[in-house]
Amino acid sequence: MLGEAEPQWLSEEVKTGTTIIAIEFNGGVVLGSDSRVSAGESVVNRVMNKLSPLHDKIYCALSGSAADAQTIAEMVNYQLDVHSMEIGEDPQVRSAATLVKNISYKYKEELSAHLIVAGWDRREGGQVFATLKGLLTRQPFAVGGSGSSYVYGFVDAEYRKGMNKKECQQFVVNTLSLAMKRDGSSGGVAYLVTIDEHGTEEKVILGNDLPTFFDQ
Amino acid sequence: MEKHYTDSKVKGVSTGTTILAAIFDGGVVIGSDSRASIGGEYVSSKTINKVIQVHDRIFCCMAGSLADAQAVIKSAKSHLSFHSVQMESPPLVIAAASVLKELCYKNKDELQAGFLTAGWDSKKGPQVYVVSLGGMLISQQVTIGGSGSTYIYGYVDAKYKPNMTREECLQFATNALALAMGRDNVSGGVAHLVVITEKGVEHVVVPGDKLPRFNDE
């Protein structure tokens, strides 16, 4: 009874096996992600933007299960809207990160998504928060997703304190490019979001414009 | 990564490890960390040497089950010295790699060992070969292996340049090993490096406190 095997994308969970990164500079943050969404071995979306706005100057980067990550982002987006109306001003990045952390922690057994929250607010400037499995920690930069394993060495070596906006953008693009080349679940194009006090800038870098390295 | 540990519990002492080999202008650098662990929980040796000499100018690094790797290398060494007597000349690096590959491929069901082979011979100069777990043999300019290598793929891709000088290559290899040891809990200890050129072989050992530190330490 050798029937045709069911295509994987019908039975496998949709994951954003991915590479995400966020880094803070003096005056703002840069977030970056790849664009591949996979279900088992199929790529079901090759241009997904995994950088999701939580508020005007606060974004989050999604990784893990696509459904879980998107749901958390949407819930926090709503909760932040309500919160910012209550306090009458723009919310702090820490508040957004805490809301994400609360959901991640409370439902940690059911969910499998990791969000990195980054943004700019008037009080503390640019901030990056990691919320893996329900912890909340502020870091100068954070990487996540399946592709991040391959670039731990690179980011450890290359990160320097006090980089400016352009250097941070280049750092993010280089890191994404290296991870996308090595991780089967990361690929496509690179999305970049830069947030500072003047505004939010979204950018897409197409595959052939990504930096290449010695064996390419 | 968990898969390595459960298999190793069945096979005995196993290395989570980081190994690396890179060609520079005129020679090759091969190196490794020095930690042997059982199941990722206990460090059974802090100073094990995973860089083994199989001939005058040919060295190997082992990954996977240490027990399997040691057995294979012992057999390969004797094959190789017999071969070199027959040929009346030092063996080629590819000969050493092929001997390892034959053993790994023919016994692929029982063994769980992979190797990096690096050396210098008069026919092709400096070379690096990789024999993977199932017995595939390929030649590369730079290669990394072991559990700790996952974390430095990005670094190696970004920082390796063909035709580096000896000093640049040594620095590159030391940095890469240090970064991997910093992130992989089953790699650590000292960095063993061997530099092989036409002129000879030089061992460099970088103890833990002399390893390069990066800004988060």
Side-chain angles (χ1 to χ4, degrees), chain B residues 20-31:
Chain B
L20 168 158
I23 298 182
F24 63 89
D25 184 16
V28 57
V29 170
I30 181 168

Side-chain angles (χ1 to χ4, degrees), chain B residues 98-138:
Chain B
S98 298
V99 168
L100 289 168
K101 181 262 290 177
E102 278 301 301
L103 290 164
C104 287
Y105 182 68
K106 293 256 155 67
N107 300 299
K108 59 158 58 172
D109 295 329
E110 284 92 10
L111 293 175
Q112 206 188 38
F115 299 93
L116 301 187
T117 309
W120 186 96
D121 63 43
S122 51
K123 186 169 172 193
K124 278 182 151 182
Q127 298 145 76
V128 169
Y129 293 93
V130 185
V131 178
S132 64
L133 242 49
M136 173 181 79
L137 171 64
I138 53 172

Side-chain angles (χ1 to χ4, degrees), chain A residues 201-214:
Chain A
E201 181 201 333
E202 296 194 7
K203 206 165 145 204
V204 182
I205 303 182
L206 300 181
N208 55 337
D209 294 329
L210 286 169
T212 57
F213 300 92
F214 87 98

Side-chain angles (χ1 to χ4, degrees), chain A residues 141 149-161 178 181-182 213-215, chain B residues 141-142 150-162 179 183 214-216:
Chain A
F141 72 91
S149 315
Y150 302 100
V151 290
Y152 272 117
F154 178 75
V155 299
D156 281 346
E158 290 293 292
Y159 173 76
R160 293 173 327 270
K161 274 210 305 224
L178 288 164
K181 275 279 174 289
R182 285 289 184 179
F213 300 92
F214 87 98
D215 57 355
Chain B
Q141 293 224 300
V142 61
T150 329
Y151 305 103
I152 50 172
Y153 272 107
Y155 181 79
V156 168
D157 283 345
K159 292 291 164 175
Y160 176 77
K161 308 264 176 305
L179 287 164
R183 284 289 182 180
F214 298 93
N215 53 66
D216 60 346

